[in-house]
Amino acid sequence: MKKELLLEGMKCDGCVATVKEKLSAIAGVEEVIVDLEEKTATVKMNQDISETTFNEALSGTKFKVTGSK
């Protein structure tokens, strides 16, 4: 299953790397593809994961999930 997350706070490649690292560490996440231009992260996962869980993984950073498609 896949979920496309809308992100706030990304401005550079370093931001992309941090978001990818934090989201990849969540149990059940198999792959994360971050798009700086679109400000999205496409997450492939083997179980449903809530936006709250993604935001908890990003806590302590300047990034936030603002929605999903």
Side-chain angles (χ1 to χ4, degrees):
M1 104 183 7
K2 285 187 181 180
K3 190 177 280 191
E4 185 174 353
L5 305 174
L6 307 174
L7 296 164
E8 183 178 282
M10 291 196 315
K11 295 180 170 72
C12 66
D13 289 336
C15 297
V16 169
T18 300
V19 168
K20 185 172 182 171
E21 176 188 336
K22 297 288 186 181
L23 297 182
S24 294
I26 299 170
V29 170
E30 297 175 341
E31 182 181 22
V32 178
I33 300 168
V34 181
D35 185 323
L36 177 60
E37 187 174 308
E38 297 292 324
K39 307 260 189 284
T40 62
T42 303
V43 182
K44 183 178 175 188
M45 53 204 160
N46 60 22
Q47 62 192 25
D48 191 32
I49 300 171
S50 70
E51 281 182 35
T52 302
T53 301
F54 290 117
N55 273 317
E56 286 171 357
L58 295 172
S59 68
T61 71
K62 59 185 174 185
F63 315 112
K64 181 178 179 181
V65 176
T66 59
S68 62
K69 313 187 212 181

